[in-house]
């Protein structure tokens, strides 16, 4: 069995390939070729922690060598930051779908960051204007670099404005991204400054209130909302969601977990039929992307995450690592 650490994963990762792997997962999800049961929550009594179990399987499609089967385990322990430990730990185990033989164990936090970034890459590639060069990035946490990297892989970005809660941390993050990417990445002080003329927005925060005002968006903006993952959390104003082409990763999940959808829905701003499409339907050609939108129309991709993404990403990274001879082989 192969063990892939964070360093191993980034050694083999190609962002354009990762985006395509996740695109296949979304298509499989929306065409009935993926089986993803609801995640299992297991509270850890007395520790303010929860263990999440997320299995998934994808049937073989064109370009895939075999069926894919994996499970992700995630531990979220609220006391960890006070212990100088990450809030979240995780593992992804990839299995041979025909036999159940374990093939690989991968660092779960890294897989999650990459597949979440890649999801925004898939959405941006199909919903944003082709000439998008300016990105407004809200948040500077673990997801932020992946959002930038994936969106950069599908659009000719030149300028990135970053807005975070901590100005010093935001400035440091912007300097690091500027050095790593060679792009004009700069910290800004207000949502209006971040959004002025931005064709793409990436929201990667744990906010409970909208990060900006609807009127601050430029025409034809595409928004990726990936940070708010609970019914009470939101990053995007209800007015924006109500007038946008609303695309979700999975309808059932969006209508049970996504505060960005649920809150304005409960406020009566729209009904469940306002969801234009699942992203997989756009990938599969069942619904039109940006080419079918009206001029100046904004779009909003809301994601709460799906195990199919983890399955596809683990399988891609495993194949790439095997091909390049990366990782640590262990006997079980």
């Amino acid at each position: 069995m192969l063990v892939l650490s964070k360093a191993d994963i980034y050694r083999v990762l190609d962002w354009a390939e990762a985006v395509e792997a996740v695109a296949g997962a979304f298509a499989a999800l929306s065409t009935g070729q993926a089986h993803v049961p609801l995640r299992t929550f297991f509270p850890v009594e007395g520790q303010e922690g929860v263990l999440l179990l997320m299995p998934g399987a994808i049937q073989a499609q064109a370009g895939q060598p075999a069926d894919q089967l994996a499970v992700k385990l995630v531990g979220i322990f609220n006391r960890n930051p006070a212990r100088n430990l990450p809030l979240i730990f995780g593992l992804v185990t990839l299995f041979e779908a025909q036999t159940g033989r374990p093939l690989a164990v991968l660092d779960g936090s890294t897989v999650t960051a990459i597949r979440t970034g890649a999801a925004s890459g898939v959405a941006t590639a199909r919903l944003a204007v082709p000439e998008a060069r300016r990105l407004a990035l809200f948040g500077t946490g673990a997801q932020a670099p992946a959002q930038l990297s994936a969106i950069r892989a599908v659009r000719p970005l030149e300028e990135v404005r970053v807005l975070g809660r901590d100005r010093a941390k935001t400035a440091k993050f912007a300097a690091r991204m500027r050095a790593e990417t060679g792009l004009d990445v700069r910290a800004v002080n207000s949502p209006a400054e971040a959004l002025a003329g931005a064709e793409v927005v990436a929201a990667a925060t744990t906010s409970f209130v909208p990060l900006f005002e609807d009127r601050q968006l430029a025409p034809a903006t595409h928004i990726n909302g990936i940070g708010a993952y609970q019914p009470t959390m939101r990053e995007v104003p209800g007015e924006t969601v109500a007038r946008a082409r609303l695309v979700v990763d999975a309808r059932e999940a969006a209508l049970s977990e996504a505060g960005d959808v649920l809150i304005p829905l409960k406020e009566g701003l729209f009904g469940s039929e306002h969801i234009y499409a699942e992203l997989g339907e756009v990938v599969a050609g069942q619904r039109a992307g940006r080419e079918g939108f009206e001029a100046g129309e904004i779009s909003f991709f809301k994601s709460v995450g799906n195990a199919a993404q983890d399955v596809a990403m683990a399988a891609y990274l495993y194949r790439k690592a095997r091909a390049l001879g990366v990782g640590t082989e262990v006997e079980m």
Side-chain angles (χ1 to χ4, degrees):
M1 185 175 70
L2 196 65
V3 177
L4 295 176
S5 67
K6 177 179 180 179
D8 294 330
I9 290 170
Y10 279 109
R11 184 177 170 188
V12 304
L13 174 66
D14 177 284
W15 275 105
E17 294 173 350
V19 169
E20 285 308 303
V22 171
F26 280 121
L29 190 65
S30 293
T31 57
Q33 294 177 298
H35 176 54
V36 182
L38 293 176
R39 71 187 81 184
T40 298
F41 290 77
F42 179 74
V44 181
E45 300 295 339
Q47 297 297 326
E48 296 182 28
V50 61
L51 185 66
L52 307 182
L53 173 68
M54 290 163 277
I58 299 176
Q59 297 175 16
Q61 304 169 75
Q64 293 178 359
D67 292 350
Q68 301 171 355
L69 175 66
V71 61
K72 183 166 74 172
L73 291 168
V74 175
I76 306 174
F77 284 69
N78 293 327
R79 297 179 184 177
N80 278 4
R83 300 165 173 152
N84 293 318
L85 292 172
L87 174 68
I88 300 173
F89 287 102
L91 293 173
V92 177
T93 303
L94 178 70
F95 298 88
E96 186 175 63
Q98 290 73 24
T99 67
R101 177 171 64 98
L103 298 176
V105 173
L106 303 88
D107 176 68
S109 297
T110 306
V111 171
T112 301
I114 293 170
R115 63 84 150 155
T116 305
S120 291
V122 175
T124 301
R126 288 155 176 84
L127 303 176
V129 294
E131 66 275 12
R133 286 173 168 77
R134 289 163 291 194
L135 169 66
L137 177 58
F138 290 82
T140 60
Q143 295 291 345
Q147 292 292 307
L148 172 51
S149 295
I151 293 169
R152 184 190 181 203
V154 301
R155 285 296 182 267
L157 292 183
E158 296 175 355
E159 182 182 354
V160 182
R161 296 90 168 259
V162 185
L163 183 63
R165 289 180 297 182
D166 185 310
R167 288 192 177 186
K169 181 180 178 181
T170 304
K172 184 177 180 180
F173 172 84
R176 178 164 66 90
M177 291 297 98
R178 188 163 55 246
E180 290 182 8
T181 66
L183 300 177
D184 177 14
V185 184
R186 57 189 175 88
V188 297
N189 297 316
S190 70
E193 189 178 358
L195 292 168
E199 299 98 345
V200 183
V201 177
T205 75
T206 55
S207 180
F208 286 84
V209 296
L211 301 171
F212 52 85
E213 297 178 22
D214 179 65
R215 62 181 177 82
Q216 295 172 323
L217 291 167
T221 298
H222 169 65
I223 306 162
N224 297 303
I226 62 95
Y229 57 91
Q230 295 179 358
T232 55
M233 301 170 73
R234 64 193 308 192
E235 298 179 295
V236 177
E239 302 94 320
T240 299
V241 184
R243 71 183 180 98
R245 290 269 185 160
L246 176 58
V247 177
V248 299
D249 45 11
R251 283 183 175 85
E252 182 181 6
L255 292 172
S256 62
E257 300 178 37
D260 278 309
V261 176
L262 289 172
I263 294 172
L265 190 152
K266 291 177 180 177
E267 291 173 345
L269 294 181
F270 52 76
S272 60
E273 72 282 354
H274 180 59
I275 296 177
Y276 168 70
E278 292 183 342
L279 184 56
E281 293 173 327
V282 179
V283 173
Q286 297 174 344
R287 300 287 271 171
R290 174 58 60 173
E291 71 280 0
F293 295 178
E294 296 178 7
E297 190 172 6
I298 67 170
S299 53
F300 176 36
F301 169 58
K302 178 57 197 173
S303 174
V304 293
N306 187 280
Q309 299 166 248
D310 298 303
V311 175
M313 186 54 55
Y316 156 69
L317 292 168
Y318 172 72
R319 292 194 301 267
K320 193 74 177 289
R322 280 294 190 203
L324 297 177
V326 173
T328 302
E329 192 74 39
V330 298
E331 292 291 337
M332 296 296 290

